[in-house]
Amino acid sequence: MKNLFALSLFLLLLGTCRNEDDGIPSCPGEYSAFEVSYTIPTSESNDSDRIDWTFVSDANGTVLKDYRADWGTTKRIILTDHCTENLDFSIVYARDAYGFEGLEKIVEINTLTSVETGKNFSTPNKHDRRRIYPPGGLRIAINNIPEDLEDISFVRNSLNTNAFSLDHDNHIGYINISGSIPYYNPIFVTTKRSSETVQRGLVMPPPTYFYDNELNLDYEDFTVIIESQTVHFPYPEFWRYDLYGTYEEAPIRDLYLSHGLINEDSTQPADEVTLMVPNDSTTTPIIFRAFTSDGDGVGMSTTTLPEQIELTPTGLDGTLNSRSCDFFNTAGLDLVVASWYYFTINYEGRKYRCTWNVYLDPTVASSYTLPELPSALLDRLPFLNQLDNPTVLRLCGTQFSGSSTYSEVAPQYFYNESDRFWAEKIGYEQECVNIE
């Protein structure tokens, strides 16, 4: 009998022991406490159709705990009876929006893998992203223009052109701007005289009110000298580029110094671009970004405006199998983001769209399977049961400058207080590939 009892006890212990190599996290002794929190700013309450959810899942994709998040509150997820290794934290954001086929429900899910305990996450505060919509557009009038003024331009973060006109008889130049203007953007206007090789510009704080939809300026205030600088790319391509700067040493406020698509009016790619850069102590270029314009491509960001861009892509690639993916050729990458795109989900006569972004550490993972969704969320949004056939999987790998690690950079994408240009200020190379 004693031998039988000893054998039973041995088999029980053998069955409960975990091998470090079997893929299951080992947690010897008592479980340590695990806690994460998630906050939605009060200003988000203007979105009456919005649904926010947050949940934690384990390495098997099982939901351990979830909450529906409320506006202006902080929800805490605390686990005391689970292994804290390899836990994933997910945020679900659903809202109504008008798409190409009418009103659609759009869902975005962001999952941070291998989340560490004690993190405090929050959604971006849209209150800080307000835009000014001058009824009927905005007209900028520049008084006292010289006789040889030949061009006026309003620099903005789009490829839209702005129509300008010159009334030399009355020494006034006009530029008409359609669309919205972010209230946090400084106004940046440039001018060009035929007798000068450089341009002259004016940067001013963003106005909070436009009298009669017109902003009156004086040419005498255009004192910022704007000089040309050529950037060479590693090979001919239809490169997209952005140049940002600070204004009067304040935190960066989306001051677009230049934006465009190389050879946008041509069918031929190019390997260089000439930018007009302010040479002024109050307007300092600090971020330059460039990406190829196709879906599978490379890009970079740096805090200096380079003369020559050098890129060393790893050849990131992968495979897709419904809710699972594999990725490879990740040597040197600090972060891989796998994005499942569901462009059209038909459910009970309505159209739905969903994007699920998963942030992964390529030094420890080469595959991933989407976790389950909370049952209460599926009851509220039943069309999310139909996520077995994504339209496309997009893999983007990032190598940050310096010695940044996954645990340092990945959580930044989940912080409201993060400078939205934090990654650009570190600097990075990036490559993306679409898997169908």
Side-chain angles (χ1 to χ4, degrees):
M1 179 65 72
K2 290 182 179 180
N3 291 337
L4 182 59
F5 174 77
L7 178 61
S8 300
L9 180 60
F10 171 76
L11 292 175
L12 176 62
L13 292 175
L14 181 64
T16 56
C17 288
R18 291 177 176 173
N19 189 324
E20 293 289 349
D21 298 326
D22 63 5
I24 303 175
S26 60
C27 295
E30 296 182 358
Y31 293 115
S32 57
F34 174 85
E35 178 179 347
V36 293
S37 65
Y38 176 55
T39 301
I40 304 178
T42 304
S43 62
E44 296 291 326
S45 60
N46 293 328
D47 297 337
S48 58
D49 61 325
R50 174 175 173 150
I51 297 174
D52 287 85
W53 222 278
T54 180
F55 64 94
V56 170
S57 52
D58 63 15
N60 297 318
T62 302
V63 176
L64 303 179
K65 185 169 288 188
D66 68 286
Y67 284 107
R68 176 173 180 178
D70 299 317
W71 298 311
T73 63
T74 298
K75 291 290 187 181
R76 289 180 173 82
I77 293 181
I78 301 175
L79 301 174
T80 58
D81 56 352
H82 290 85
C83 179
T84 59
E85 297 179 19
N86 296 339
L87 296 184
D88 297 346
F89 173 76
S90 298
I91 296 171
V92 183
Y93 165 45
R95 62 185 177 88
D96 287 336
Y98 281 94
F100 293 110
E101 301 184 37
L103 187 64
E104 300 175 329
K105 177 73 75 175
I106 298 177
V107 179
E108 180 177 329
I109 306 174
N110 292 289
T111 296
L112 177 64
T113 61
S114 303
V115 64
E116 297 176 350
T117 185
K119 297 295 184 181
N120 302 299
F121 302 113
S122 57
T123 186
N125 191 341
K126 290 185 179 180
H127 179 74
D128 293 332
R129 313 298 299 166
R130 290 177 298 172
R131 304 176 75 86
I132 296 173
Y133 294 85
L138 171 67
R139 185 171 76 163
I140 296 178
I142 304 175
N143 298 284
N144 301 314
I145 63 172
E147 291 291 342
D148 62 342
L149 189 71
E150 61 182 10
D151 183 75
I152 306 173
S153 179
F154 175 77
V155 182
R156 61 194 307 175
N157 62 328
S158 71
L159 300 179
N160 297 333
T161 57
N162 305 292
F164 74 94
S165 60
L166 301 173
D167 182 356
H168 286 292
D169 292 337
N170 294 301
H171 303 286
I172 301 177
Y174 298 98
I175 184 166
N176 297 308
I177 303 168
S178 60
S180 62
I181 301 173
Y183 92 105
Y184 47 82
N185 279 172
I187 298 293
F188 183 31
V189 182
T190 64
T191 62
K192 176 67 173 65
R193 299 178 63 173
S194 60
S195 60
E196 296 181 334
T197 58
V198 298
Q199 297 183 10
R200 298 181 182 272
L202 170 66
V203 182
M204 60 178 291
T208 57
Y209 177 75
F210 297 99
Y211 182 75
D212 287 340
N213 292 11
E214 187 166 294
L215 181 63
N216 285 284
L217 306 175
D218 196 294
Y219 184 78
E220 293 183 357
D221 296 325
F222 283 72
T223 58
V224 177
I225 300 299
I226 301 172
E227 301 175 337
S228 63
Q229 181 170 337
T230 301
V231 177
H232 298 272
F233 294 89
Y235 50 84
E237 180 57 85
F238 293 100
W239 295 92
R240 294 179 293 111
Y241 63 89
D242 299 283
L243 179 65
Y244 302 84
T246 56
Y247 173 56
E248 292 184 347
E249 300 181 357
I252 188 166
R253 296 193 295 182
D254 294 9
L255 174 53
Y256 286 90
L257 301 180
S258 187
H259 175 97
L261 174 65
I262 294 180
N263 277 18
E264 60 181 295
D265 297 325
S266 172
T267 59
Q268 298 298 318
D271 60 2
E272 67 177 34
V273 63
T274 299
L275 304 177
M276 305 308 295
V277 183
N279 182 8
D280 182 77
S281 61
T282 64
T283 310
T284 308
I286 65 168
I287 290 174
F288 177 74
R289 297 191 306 192
F291 296 89
T292 52
S293 59
D294 56 0
D296 297 354
V298 297
M300 52 75 68
S301 178
T302 179
T303 54
T304 59
L305 187 57
E307 293 185 4
Q308 177 69 51
I309 294 177
E310 301 290 347
L311 296 174
T312 55
T314 67
L316 176 68
D317 206 347
T319 60
L320 170 65
N321 183 14
S322 185
R323 297 171 64 93
S324 300
C325 76
D326 296 280
F327 48 94
F328 35 86
N329 299 337
T330 60
L333 297 178
D334 301 306
L335 171 70
V336 169
V337 180
S339 300
W340 278 258
Y341 287 93
Y342 304 85
F343 290 150
T344 303
I345 303 174
N346 297 304
Y347 183 80
E348 294 186 349
R350 282 197 63 181
K351 302 289 186 180
Y352 301 89
R353 281 186 289 151
C354 178
T355 302
W356 195 328
N357 306 303
V358 181
Y359 295 75
L360 297 150
D361 183 352
T363 65
V364 299
S366 59
S367 62
Y368 189 79
T369 299
L370 294 177
E372 301 171 354
L373 289 172
S375 57
L377 174 64
L378 293 175
D379 289 342
R380 186 66 183 265
L381 302 174
F383 65 88
L384 291 178
N385 284 297
Q386 303 182 20
L387 298 184
D388 291 332
N389 297 298
T391 307
V392 66
L393 171 74
R394 184 170 177 82
L395 296 173
C396 286
T398 304
Q399 180 179 4
F400 289 90
S401 302
S403 57
S404 301
T405 63
Y406 172 82
S407 61
E408 294 171 337
V409 297
Q412 295 292 330
Y413 292 95
F414 292 73
Y415 291 150
N416 176 40
E417 60 270 21
S418 291
D419 177 352
R420 81 183 192 95
F421 286 99
W422 66 266
E424 285 78 6
K425 290 180 179 179
I426 296 175
Y428 59 78
E429 287 189 27
Q430 188 176 85
E431 57 187 298
C432 298
V433 59
N434 291 337
I435 310 294
E436 299 184 12

